[in-house]
Amino acid sequence: MSYVDGFVAAVPAANRDAYAEHARKMAPIFKEFGATRVAENWGDDVQHGKQTDFYRAVAAKEDEVVVFAWVEWPSKEARDAAWQKMMEDPRMAPGANPMPFDGARMIYGGFAGIDL
């Protein structure tokens, strides 16, 4: 069964091009280590909720846009093995490809697929 890593972050609107470039550098690395798909999405129709929403989840500021991304893996085992290898890869070091957003406010998690 497939496995998905999901990410939500607040990116300064002025950093859209830098974010896209960051994502273009990261996607091939994920795929090299076994990801079957990498999806990056720039907020376009993200509503503000009354109790909770994506903006609150990442403490987005007025000048920030919410991005939603995911990486699909063949299985949790494949993902776990890949992350271990990626964390040892110098291309993943913060200095090699700095994040154009505040990574401390990014939320992420791993999700097991549901057969439909």
Side-chain angles (χ1 to χ4, degrees), residues 83-105:
W83 273 107
Q84 184 174 354
K85 291 175 187 172
M86 285 190 300
M87 292 300 103
E88 297 168 359
D89 191 305
R91 296 172 295 174
M92 296 291 287
N97 189 14
M99 293 189 294
F101 59 92
D102 180 1
R105 291 185 288 133

Side-chain angles (χ1 to χ4, degrees), residues 69-88:
W70 66 88
V71 179
E72 294 178 19
W73 303 94
S75 66
K76 184 175 190 308
E77 295 76 21
R79 175 267 210 159
D80 289 348
W83 273 107
Q84 184 174 354
K85 291 175 187 172
M86 285 190 300
M87 292 300 103
E88 297 168 359

Side-chain angles (χ1 to χ4, degrees), residues 14-104:
N15 287 0
R16 183 182 176 138
D17 291 341
Y19 180 83
E21 184 59 27
H22 172 78
R24 283 186 201 99
K25 289 180 181 176
M26 297 303 295
I29 297 171
F30 282 114
K31 289 180 178 179
E32 177 184 329
F33 286 101
T36 57
R37 182 172 183 216
V38 178
E40 294 285 350
N41 305 278
W42 189 259
D44 179 60
D45 185 17
V46 182
Q47 303 297 312
H48 288 274
K50 293 186 180 183
Q51 251 185 296
T52 190
D53 58 29
F54 281 109
Y55 296 100
R56 286 183 183 102
V58 293
K61 299 173 185 171
E62 286 293 319
D63 67 335
E64 293 180 324
V65 175
V66 174
V67 298
F68 178 58
W70 66 88
V71 179
E72 294 178 19
W73 303 94
S75 66
K76 184 175 190 308
E77 295 76 21
R79 175 267 210 159
D80 289 348
W83 273 107
Q84 184 174 354
K85 291 175 187 172
M86 285 190 300
M87 292 300 103
E88 297 168 359
D89 191 305
R91 296 172 295 174
M92 296 291 287
N97 189 14
M99 293 189 294
F101 59 92
D102 180 1

Side-chain angles (χ1 to χ4, degrees), residues 1-20:
M1 172 161 304
S2 67
Y3 198 80
V4 173
D5 282 318
F7 308 89
V8 180
V11 179
N15 287 0
R16 183 182 176 138
D17 291 341
Y19 180 83

